[in-house]
Amino acid sequence: FYIDAYEAANAEYGEFEEATRDPPAPHWGAGEHPVGTDNYPVIFVSWEDAAAYAQWSGKRLPTAEEWEIAARGQDGLTFPWGTSYARQKVNLNYTETGISPIGTSPEDVSEFGVYDMGGNVMEWTMTQYDNNRDFFVVKGGSWVSEPFVARGANRTPSHVEYRLDHLGFRCVKSGEN
């Protein structure tokens, strides 16, 4: 599989909304994301919103397992950057700045060059939580998460309809056989 190096950004999600005439993210005034936030991860999107965007872009949401491989690397690291928590490497744990533009934490990167997997926003996956169709696994930490959530192996349940200020997504594409 091929995973996007960054979470879906507001500008990209805006193109999707314009092309499909889907309703905008609920916090976007007049149907447009806030000025100056083109390169911020899109937030306040439900699982269905994220899945629809992924399909529109010719991709899909990652499985929890794919996301974890991309975050932990071949050696199964605890965090995308290594085995020890490092506060200065990640946008996590109620930072003073809140959500940041994608890629702002250059040390929060996996060995595969995938950014912001430890923090900034949690990310939807296509994996159901405990086989419950109303809950999906979200991965990664966010600017409002405690450090343990940034562990690549962490699995957090999230209701399919949740639209939260710390929940976004990234997409994957299946590899050719």
Side-chain angles (χ1 to χ4, degrees):
F1 66 95
Y2 301 94
I3 190 164
D4 290 346
Y6 301 100
E7 299 123 339
N10 282 329
E12 296 164 331
Y13 197 79
E15 292 172 15
F16 158 71
E17 289 179 339
E18 188 174 315
T20 63
R21 298 291 178 214
D22 270 15
H27 68 295
W28 290 11
E32 295 183 10
H33 58 277
V35 174
T37 65
D38 285 359
N39 199 36
Y40 282 70
V42 65
I43 53 174
F44 289 110
V45 290
S46 69
W47 183 89
E48 291 165 345
D49 296 333
Y53 171 90
Q55 183 177 18
W56 171 81
S57 69
K59 300 174 187 176
R60 61 179 171 78
L61 295 177
T63 65
E65 292 76 18
E66 288 169 333
W67 193 100
E68 187 170 331
I69 290 166
R72 297 182 73 193
Q74 295 175 348
D75 294 329
L77 299 173
T78 305
F79 300 97
W81 56 84
T83 57
S84 300
Y85 177 68
R87 173 72 190 95
Q88 73 281 7
K89 294 186 180 198
V90 63
N91 183 7
L92 191 70
N93 204 17
Y94 293 94
T95 60
E96 294 147 15
T97 59
I99 193 170
S100 299
I102 57 176
T104 300
S105 299
E107 292 183 87
D108 182 8
V109 61
S110 76
E111 73 177 66
F112 299 117
V114 186
Y115 290 82
D116 297 329
M117 297 190 94
N120 209 19
V121 297
M122 298 177 90
E123 301 177 21
W124 287 111
T125 72
M126 65 185 291
T127 302
Q128 290 178 343
Y129 190 85
D130 287 342
N131 295 317
N132 183 331
R133 68 177 190 209
D134 292 331
F135 286 85
F136 284 81
V137 173
V138 295
K139 299 289 280 177
S142 76
W143 64 275
V144 297
S145 297
E146 297 296 325
F148 76 90
V149 179
R151 295 176 305 111
N154 192 63
R155 297 166 59 94
T156 303
S158 191
H159 193 275
V160 68
E161 294 178 1
Y162 283 175
R163 296 171 184 263
L164 304 171
D165 67 349
H166 61 275
L167 182 55
F169 65 95
R170 75 179 72 228
C171 300
V172 300
K173 190 168 190 169
S174 297
E176 301 297 321
N177 293 338

